[in-house]
Amino acid sequence: MSKTMEPDLKSPLGGTHNEAAGKEWRHPSDNWLRGFILDNRAALGTLAVFIVMMAVFMIANPTVFTTWYLYSSVLTTLPVALFVVVPLVFVVTCGEIDLSFPATMGFASWVFALVVQAGYDPFLGIAAAIATGTLLGFLVGSLVVYGGLSSLIATLGMNFLLRGLIQIINEGRSTALTSLADSWAYQIFSSQLYGIPVQIFWAIAFVVCRRCSTTGIASARRSRSSATILTAPSRWASTSSASGSRSSSSSASGLRSPARFR
């Protein structure tokens, strides 16, 4: 018998098995694609449900759901919800709640309208609106943290107060700002880019910036979902304390838990 036909006497399965056995064993989840799916299975599952739902809608009514005007309208109104919901996620995670954000947004918008109607630059109105929202948020937060009021009661009361002030001052009428159409602020924040509303780009940039503001993402465990990664500890959170009734919620949101919760 030739040497090429002789079996490997040291191993019953031959030399090929020795080469395979010599390699380091790797878990199936070490594959980058499988690992990505496992890490984001909740988000990917939601995306799959959305795709199936949209497919059903398109089949049921292709005239409506294959028209770009429908999606353009969604991309125009959706950023408002994103700007409100993303910061609210961290409030709810801490075990608190904020019911004053609709009225706060409306009151800040009313201040913006007053500045523009007075003949000032729209960018000054934007700065005034941001300052107003910050001041109102600081006031409500002070009532909760230093005044000891429940976040539900404080924010709900502020919501009714601001809505009542707007209704009384404006007498239930809306404010039209027709002069904004020719301003740079309108072109930057409310125009279209290749037929796509720019509002959605600003909303995506806001979400990405909020995501990048957290640190310690690289050391997050692979088992964390995308929603948990958003609440990774940040530099701001490492020097802040949480208030509420659940210490586990503050720890999950990256905030230090005081020794005694109220």
Side-chain angles (χ1 to χ4, degrees), residues 18-232:
N18 285 338
E19 295 177 0
K23 297 181 179 179
E24 183 180 358
W25 181 83
R26 298 179 60 186
H27 193 272
S29 61
D30 291 338
N31 181 273
W32 70 270
L33 180 59
R34 185 185 294 269
F36 175 80
I37 295 176
L38 291 177
D39 291 344
N40 302 276
R41 55 184 179 272
L44 293 176
T46 304
L47 178 62
V49 172
F50 173 75
I51 293 175
V52 173
M53 180 181 66
M54 291 303 300
V56 172
F57 289 162
M58 288 182 180
I59 295 174
N61 195 341
T63 304
V64 174
F65 288 94
T66 56
T67 304
W68 169 247
Y69 295 106
L70 172 66
Y71 301 101
S72 178
S73 177
V74 173
L75 295 179
T76 302
T77 57
L78 181 62
V80 178
L82 289 178
F83 278 109
V84 172
V85 170
V86 172
L88 195 61
V89 168
F90 302 95
V91 177
V92 176
T93 305
C94 294
E96 303 290 348
I97 193 170
D98 185 4
L99 299 178
S100 64
F101 67 89
T104 301
M105 182 176 61
F107 197 85
S109 301
W110 174 67
V111 172
F112 169 79
L114 289 181
V115 174
V116 174
Q117 279 187 333
Y120 294 100
D121 190 90
F123 289 103
L124 182 60
I126 294 174
I130 294 176
T132 301
T134 304
L135 180 61
L136 293 175
F138 178 78
L139 177 60
V140 175
S142 299
L143 291 176
V144 175
V145 177
Y146 300 107
L149 295 179
S150 169
S151 59
L152 175 65
I153 301 302
T155 58
L156 185 61
M158 181 63 70
N159 179 51
F160 285 119
L161 174 63
L162 296 178
R163 290 172 65 94
L165 288 176
I166 296 174
Q167 292 291 334
I168 293 174
I169 296 174
N170 290 341
E171 298 180 352
R173 295 175 297 183
S174 60
T175 304
L177 301 176
T178 56
S179 60
L180 283 178
D182 300 327
S183 63
W184 276 100
Y186 180 86
Q187 298 298 326
I188 295 174
F189 298 108
S190 298
S191 60
Q192 292 188 352
L193 182 64
Y194 299 106
I196 303 176
V198 296
Q199 292 94 320
I200 191 63
F201 295 112
W202 285 107
I204 294 175
F206 174 75
V207 174
V208 171
C209 289
R210 185 60 188 91
R211 161 66 171 80
C212 294
S213 64
T214 57
T215 57
I217 302 301
S219 60
R221 294 182 179 179
R222 177 169 288 190
S223 59
R224 288 184 178 181
S225 62
S226 57
T228 308
I229 290 178
L230 284 175
T231 59

